[in-house]
Amino acid sequence: MMAVRAVNGGSLFRTAASPPLLTFGCRFRQFSSLPFRRNTELGLRFPFFCCGNQFLGYGGGLSRSVHSLVDCVMEELTAWRSRRRIRATVKLTTSGELLEDKLVNQEIEKGLLLEFKKDSDRVLLGVAQRPDGKKNWMVYDQNGVTSSIRPQQITYIVPGVENFDHAEISKFLQKAQENLDPTLLEIAWVELLEKNASVTAEELAEMIFGSSEPLASYCAHLLLSKDEVYFTVLATKGSRAIYGPRPTGQVHVEELLHKKLAKDAAEKELQDFVQLIVSAKAKPALAKPPKSSWMVDEKIQYKIESLEAYAIDACKSDEQRKTAGMILKAMGLTKTASSALNLLINIGYFPVHVNLDLLKLNILTDHSDEIIAAAESLLSDSSDSDEMNREDLTHLKVYAIDVDEADELDDALSATKLQDGRMKIWIHVADPARYVEPGSMVDREALRRGTSVFLPTGTYPMFPEKLAMEGMSLKQGELCNAVSVSVILHSDGSIAEYSVQNSIIKPTYMLTYESATELLHLNLEEEAELKILSEAAALRLKWRRQQGAIDTSTLEACIKVVNPEDLEPSINLYVENQADPAMRLVSEMMILCGEVVATFGSCNNIPLPYRGQPQSNIDVSAYSHLPEGPVRSSAIVRIMRAAEIDFRKPIRHGVLGLPGYVQFTSPIRRYLDLLAHYQVKAFLKGETPPFSAGQLEGMASIVNMQVRVVRKLSASSLRYWIIEFLRRQPREKKYRALILRFIKDRIAALFVVEVGLQASAWVSIGSQVGDEVEVQVEEAHPRDDVLYLKEVLRN
C-alpha cells in the first residue's frame, strides 16, 4: 500500500513496508522548556526531523524545503532495509498484551485539568474546583462558567497537571490548536500497524512529539479523538481510551483525507463566521455592520440567510436548518427560533422591531426592475383609447376625502341639487385601466399581489409607486382620467337614475376626514356641495336601514411609525370613529357606487365579482340594549355569516341592505376592483368583457387567498405597535375600557377606547357587558403578543 502525506505543499512517499520516521537517521531536536509544573508558560518541546543541516518542524512555526527531507529519508530507508531493525522510542501495547493494564483511571482532584462533555455536541476544558455531592465535581470551564459535572462526562484528564490556574485555560487551548497536525497520525499509524500495536494518548505524544508533557499529551488526545482516518477506539474506561490502527483495507487515505480536509475547512468556515458574529454583537448599536455587508461573500450569505430562515421557521432544507443549528450551538445558544431572532437583532442584521410576519408570510415589498421599467414605459405613453368617449366634468367641484397619510387617491365626490329638489351625486373613481391592460406584465404582477399592503411602518403598493402616484392617482388641481358613476336619488334615498361613464375631472379639494368634518360643522355657504353630500349620506343610511342594513361602525386604531428601524421609533397613534360625519359620508357614497355598478352589471349581463352576505337570521333588536359603537358592533359581528361572491348575477348583501353590491372604488389598491373596471370599461367601448364568470372566479380565488394573508399581517402589525405604544407609557396611566363580553367567570373581553384595541382582564363583581371600567397596563411585550391589564377599582 502506498501512503501519501502532504508536507508544506510537497509529498512524502513510502510503502507500507517502510520503517517509521523515528527509525531513520533523522532525529528529534527539541526546544528546551521549563518543567510544566514549575512554569506558568505552557511550553511544549516541538520535535524537528534533522537531516544534515535541514530541519522540518511540526507546529513550531519553522519550515524548510521538503526535498532535502525526502532525500534523507530515502537514504535512511535503504540503510534500514539492510539492517531490518526498528529503534522504537516508546513501549507499545501489542496484541498479546492486556488492554486493561492501560485503562487505569486517575482519581479526580482539585486543580486537575479536565476535558468534559457539556452536552451531546459540545466538549469543553475546565479545572476541577471542589466535590459536589458524592460523585459530582464543580468545574470552572473555558467560558468562565462554573457547573457541576458527573464523572461520566469526563472524556480526558490531562496528565502531569496540579493546581492548574483556570485563567490559563484559553492560552492552553490556543497553544494546543496551534500544534495540531493531523498528518502526523500517518507516521504513527504505519509503525503501529506493522507491529499490530495499540496506543494511548500519552504514548502517541512520545512518538510524534518526543514528549508526554501535559500540552503534548492533550494535543495527541485531540488528534486521536477527532481522527476518522487512521485510528479507531479499541477500549475505554472512564476518561481513559486506547486506540488501534485501522486495517490497511479500511484506510483509503486520499478519499478519507479529502473528507477530513473538507470537514476541517467547513469547521474553520463556521468558526470564522462565529467570530464575525461575536465581533458584530460586541459593537455599539450605531456601529453595527450594515445588512448588505453580510451579502458580499457567498458562504457568509448562506449562513446568515440560514439563521434568518431559522428565526422565521422557514428553512428550505434540512441542510439550512442544520447550518443554523450549528451556528447557535457554537454561540452557546439554544436551538430555537427566538434564539436566532435575538442573535440577528444583536448583530444589527434585523432591527429591534423587525416585522417577523412580513418575512414569514413572504409578502412582496419591492417591484422588480423589469416591472418598474414596464410601468415607466406605460407612463410615457400618452395615448388614451377612451379619449373620444370621456365626459368632460371639469366644471364640477370635486372633493377627495381620505386619511392624512394616503399615498394614492382612488376616489372623489361631487354633488348638486336639481331644480326639482332631488340630489344628484357623482362618485369619481381613478382609472388605472387607462394604463394597464388585462394580461399585461404589470397587470399579472398586480394579480400576484392582489392588494396594496398598508402597515404602520410603511405601504407596499400593488402597482409600482411612480405609476400609481403620477399616472393613476387623482391629484388636486390637475386634469385626471376617471370612471364616474352619477346617481339621482329619490326623496327616500333609493336610486332614481344612474349612469356609468368614462370622464375627465379636476379635483378641487384634497381633504382629510378631520378637515372635512370641520367644514361640515362650519356649514359654510360656499361649500354647499359638501353639505349636499352629507345630506345624501344621511338619506342613504336611513334608506339602507329600512332595507335591513346592520350598522357595525366602531372605533379603529390608526398608527404611523416614523423611522421603524430605530431603537425607539416615533409612534403616532390616533383612533378613528367610523360614525364620524366625514367618514360616514365617504362610506355611504362608496356603498352607493357599489350598488349602482351591481345594477349596471346585472342589466347588461356583465360578469362581475358581485358580493353578498346573507343575514336573514339576525334580529338587531335583540342587541338594542347594548350601547352603540364597539360593544354592539362586536356582539353583532360575532354572529355574522361569511361573505359570498357570485360572478354571474348580484346576490343580496344583507349587512349593507342592498340587492347587489360590487366593490369598484379602489382599483389602484385592490385587484378585484380593477377586474370590475376591466369588465365595465370593455362594455362601455362596445366590446366583449375580457373575462368570463369562470375566469373571474379563478382569479378571485388567487386574490382572496393573498388578501387573507395581508389582513392577517395588517392585524398583527397593528396590534404589535399598539402594545409597543402602551409599553412606553407611564405605568400609572389609566385607560377607559368597555366590557364587550365575559370569557370565563369574571375574565372579560375589553375594548380599550384610547388605543382601539381588544384585550382581556379580570373585572370586579357587578360589572356588566357594556359597562365602562378603568384599567392600567401591568405588562406589555409586543414581540410575544402579551398585554396584561388590571382593573383600577374605584372608591
Side-chain angles (χ1 to χ4, degrees):
M1 195 272 301
M2 180 69 73
V4 182
R5 179 166 67 86
V7 181
N8 291 345
S11 296
L12 177 62
F13 296 87
R14 52 192 171 81
T15 66
S18 301
L21 290 178
L22 294 177
T23 66
F24 297 159
C26 304
R27 59 191 181 278
F28 280 114
R29 294 280 179 87
Q30 299 173 339
F31 289 117
S32 61
S33 63
L34 294 175
F36 183 83
R37 298 183 189 179
R38 299 203 307 266
N39 197 314
T40 58
E41 291 295 326
L42 303 178
L44 174 62
R45 303 177 195 176
F46 298 101
F48 284 81
F49 292 117
C50 174
C51 301
N53 292 322
Q54 300 294 326
F55 291 82
L56 177 66
Y58 290 102
L62 179 61
S63 177
R64 294 290 186 270
S65 170
V66 72
H67 301 294
S68 58
L69 172 61
V70 174
D71 294 339
C72 176
V73 169
M74 296 307 294
E75 292 173 6
E76 291 294 336
L77 178 59
T78 303
W80 175 84
R81 281 173 175 165
S82 64
R83 295 192 298 268
R84 303 294 295 172
R85 62 188 179 84
I86 299 176
R87 289 183 286 163
T89 59
V90 295
K91 293 182 179 180
L92 305 175
T93 305
T94 64
S95 57
E97 296 181 55
L98 293 175
L99 300 181
E100 285 291 329
D101 294 342
K102 295 198 175 184
L103 291 176
V104 179
N105 278 304
Q106 181 178 350
E107 291 293 329
I108 305 175
E109 299 176 2
K110 180 180 179 181
L112 289 184
L113 187 58
L114 314 171
E115 183 189 80
F116 64 96
K117 277 192 174 183
K118 180 68 174 177
D119 49 43
S120 60
D121 297 318
R122 283 189 300 167
V123 176
L124 301 177
L125 206 58
V127 179
Q129 299 292 305
R130 65 182 184 279
D132 182 32
K134 292 183 179 180
K135 296 183 179 181
N136 293 359
W137 272 79
M138 298 300 294
V139 174
Y140 186 96
D141 66 34
Q142 63 197 57
N143 297 321
V145 177
T146 300
S147 56
S148 177
I149 65 170
R150 303 185 307 276
Q152 299 93 312
Q153 291 177 253
I154 299 173
T155 53
Y156 190 66
I157 299 177
V158 180
V161 174
E162 293 178 358
N163 299 319
F164 191 88
D165 183 357
H166 59 71
E168 297 288 335
I169 296 178
S170 295
K171 188 176 179 182
F172 184 89
L173 274 172
Q174 183 180 354
K175 284 201 172 187
Q177 292 298 326
E178 290 172 356
N179 291 289
L180 292 183
D181 182 358
T183 59
L184 291 172
L185 289 174
E186 187 189 0
I187 301 169
W189 172 72
V190 172
E191 182 168 344
L192 293 168
L193 186 64
E194 290 174 348
K195 301 192 72 173
N196 190 26
S198 57
V199 71
T200 64
E202 295 77 24
E203 290 170 344
L204 181 68
E206 284 285 358
M207 290 183 67
I208 63 177
F209 295 125
S211 166
S212 59
E213 288 188 354
L215 188 54
S217 294
Y218 187 60
C219 287
H221 161 73
L222 290 176
L223 288 170
L224 286 169
S225 62
K226 294 181 179 180
D227 175 55
E228 297 176 357
V229 178
Y230 297 107
F231 288 88
T232 185
V233 178
L234 297 180
T236 60
K237 185 176 181 181
S239 62
R240 299 288 292 167
I242 295 179
Y243 299 84
R246 294 177 186 269
T248 304
Q250 293 182 12
V251 181
H252 305 287
V253 178
E254 290 188 12
E255 179 184 349
L256 291 173
L257 282 178
H258 177 74
K259 291 181 179 179
K260 178 66 174 174
L261 289 172
K263 181 180 178 182
D264 290 345
E267 288 179 355
K268 186 178 185 305
E269 278 181 19
L270 177 62
Q271 290 305 314
D272 290 345
F273 181 78
V274 168
Q275 286 305 312
L276 287 177
I277 292 283
V278 171
S279 175
K281 189 177 177 182
K283 292 180 179 179
L286 297 178
K288 302 284 186 186
K291 188 173 183 178
S292 58
S293 68
W294 298 95
M295 304 298 168
V296 175
D297 181 270
E298 185 177 328
K299 293 179 179 178
I300 292 176
Q301 180 180 352
Y302 177 77
K303 289 180 175 61
I304 201 76
E305 288 180 347
S306 296
L307 265 182
E308 179 178 347
Y310 201 90
I312 63 174
D313 297 321
C315 288
K316 298 176 182 177
S317 65
D318 290 339
E319 183 62 30
Q320 199 175 44
R321 188 176 292 103
K322 180 181 176 183
T323 298
M326 287 192 302
I327 295 168
L328 293 172
K329 171 192 160 187
M331 291 295 296
L333 301 172
T334 56
K335 295 179 183 179
T336 62
S338 61
S339 292
L341 170 63
N342 291 330
L343 181 58
L344 290 169
I345 289 174
N346 289 337
I347 66 173
Y349 183 82
F350 277 163
V352 172
H353 297 286
V354 59
N355 191 330
L356 288 184
D357 286 336
L358 185 65
L359 300 174
K360 288 180 180 179
L361 298 173
N362 200 26
I363 300 296
L364 298 172
T365 56
D366 297 308
H367 287 87
S368 68
D369 293 341
E370 187 180 21
I371 296 296
I372 292 173
E376 291 183 351
S377 176
L378 293 174
L379 270 176
S380 63
D381 183 3
S382 59
S383 62
D384 176 14
S385 60
D386 298 309
E387 184 176 6
M388 301 304 297
N389 297 316
R390 288 195 185 277
E391 184 76 14
D392 186 352
L393 299 178
T394 55
H395 63 282
L396 294 175
K397 183 181 285 188
V398 178
Y399 298 90
I401 306 172
D402 211 326
V403 294
D404 188 26
E405 64 271 12
D407 294 313
E408 68 266 345
L409 290 171
D410 291 277
D411 51 75
L413 305 169
S414 299
T416 188
K417 272 196 176 179
L418 303 178
Q419 290 183 350
D420 60 8
R422 292 184 301 174
M423 291 180 282
K424 183 173 184 179
I425 310 299
W426 285 267
I427 301 99
H428 311 289
V429 184
D431 186 10
R434 141 78 172 82
Y435 294 96
V436 182
E437 293 184 357
S440 66
M441 182 188 299
V442 175
D443 170 71
R444 291 197 304 271
E445 178 66 13
L447 169 61
R448 188 160 73 107
R449 292 169 181 261
T451 179
S452 293
V453 181
F454 300 96
L455 302 178
T457 51
T459 299
Y460 306 105
M462 185 171 74
F463 288 110
E465 185 175 355
K466 190 174 182 181
L467 176 62
M469 293 292 293
E470 296 184 13
M472 300 174 174
S473 180
L474 302 179
K475 294 177 285 294
Q476 183 175 2
E478 296 185 23
L479 297 178
C480 302
N481 292 327
V483 178
S484 293
V485 173
S486 65
V487 189
I488 296 175
L489 297 178
H490 283 304
S491 58
D492 65 351
S494 61
I495 297 173
E497 302 174 25
Y498 69 85
S499 69
V500 180
Q501 58 195 26
N502 293 305
S503 65
I504 185 167
I505 63 173
K506 189 175 183 180
T508 313
Y509 295 117
M510 297 292 187
L511 302 175
T512 63
Y513 287 114
E514 184 178 7
S515 59
T517 296
E518 187 176 345
L519 281 175
L520 286 171
H521 286 156
L522 291 173
N523 196 22
L524 301 175
E525 289 185 10
E526 56 269 31
E527 302 302 336
E529 294 86 351
L530 189 61
K531 184 178 180 181
I532 294 171
L533 286 169
S534 179
E535 291 173 355
L539 193 61
R540 283 288 299 172
L541 177 60
K542 180 180 178 181
W543 178 82
R544 288 196 305 107
R545 284 176 173 171
Q546 291 171 349
Q547 310 309 308
I550 301 171
D551 185 12
T552 57
S553 60
T554 185
L555 303 177
E556 189 173 59
C558 296
I559 286 184
K560 187 73 172 177
V561 180
V562 182
N563 299 323
E565 296 199 354
D566 290 353
L567 290 176
E568 288 284 330
S570 174
I571 302 176
N572 301 318
L573 182 148
Y574 59 97
V575 177
E576 288 182 344
N577 186 349
Q578 294 175 347
D580 172 86
M583 294 198 75
R584 182 78 81 181
L585 183 158
V586 173
S587 175
E588 284 299 327
M589 294 303 102
M590 300 305 105
I591 293 171
L592 174 59
C593 180
E595 182 185 0
V596 170
V597 173
T599 304
F600 179 78
S602 177
C603 291
N604 296 289
N605 296 315
I606 305 173
L608 291 169
Y610 297 100
R611 292 180 176 271
Q613 197 167 21
Q615 298 297 334
S616 57
N617 60 336
I618 293 182
D619 180 9
V620 179
S621 63
Y623 302 94
S624 59
H625 66 287
L626 299 175
E628 287 187 358
V631 178
R632 186 183 297 180
S633 295
S634 174
I636 294 174
V637 168
R638 281 174 57 81
I639 62 169
M640 280 186 178
R641 292 167 61 184
E644 301 173 359
I645 302 181
D646 192 298
F647 299 92
R648 292 168 177 81
K649 63 182 184 302
I651 52 178
R652 176 168 173 75
H653 201 300
V655 173
L656 297 180
L658 301 178
Y661 177 69
V662 173
Q663 286 188 331
F664 194 76
T665 58
S666 295
I668 305 177
R669 309 180 190 186
R670 296 189 301 236
Y671 190 78
L672 286 188
D673 291 40
L674 180 64
L675 280 181
H677 275 244
Y678 286 152
Q679 300 290 88
V680 168
K681 284 175 66 67
F683 179 84
L684 293 176
K685 288 181 182 179
E687 300 174 355
T688 302
F691 303 111
S692 67
Q695 290 173 317
L696 287 178
E697 186 172 4
M699 288 186 287
S701 65
I702 297 171
V703 171
N704 287 333
M705 188 180 303
Q706 184 66 9
V707 167
R708 284 192 290 271
V709 170
V710 171
R711 283 177 180 166
K712 178 181 177 181
L713 170 65
S714 299
S716 65
S717 300
L718 183 65
R719 184 174 177 85
Y720 177 96
W721 286 105
I722 293 176
I723 295 176
E724 172 63 15
F725 176 84
L726 291 171
R727 184 187 68 81
R728 299 185 188 183
Q729 306 309 305
R731 291 290 299 273
E732 65 275 8
K733 186 172 180 178
K734 300 175 184 178
Y735 302 89
R736 295 165 52 217
L738 301 172
I739 299 178
L740 301 178
R741 66 184 184 279
F742 285 95
I743 301 171
K744 183 180 180 181
D745 299 328
R746 304 308 300 172
I747 300 176
L750 304 176
F751 184 85
V752 186
V753 176
E754 288 89 342
V755 294
L757 179 71
Q758 286 196 28
S760 61
W762 183 92
V763 295
S764 55
I765 295 174
S767 300
Q768 302 295 325
V769 173
D771 287 353
E772 181 178 304
V773 296
E774 275 192 333
V775 296
Q776 287 179 316
V777 176
E778 283 199 312
E779 288 187 47
H781 306 292
R783 180 65 65 202
D784 302 318
D785 190 25
V786 170
L787 179 64
Y788 293 139
L789 301 179
K790 178 183 178 181
E791 182 185 11
V792 179
L793 299 177
R794 298 171 181 173
N795 295 329

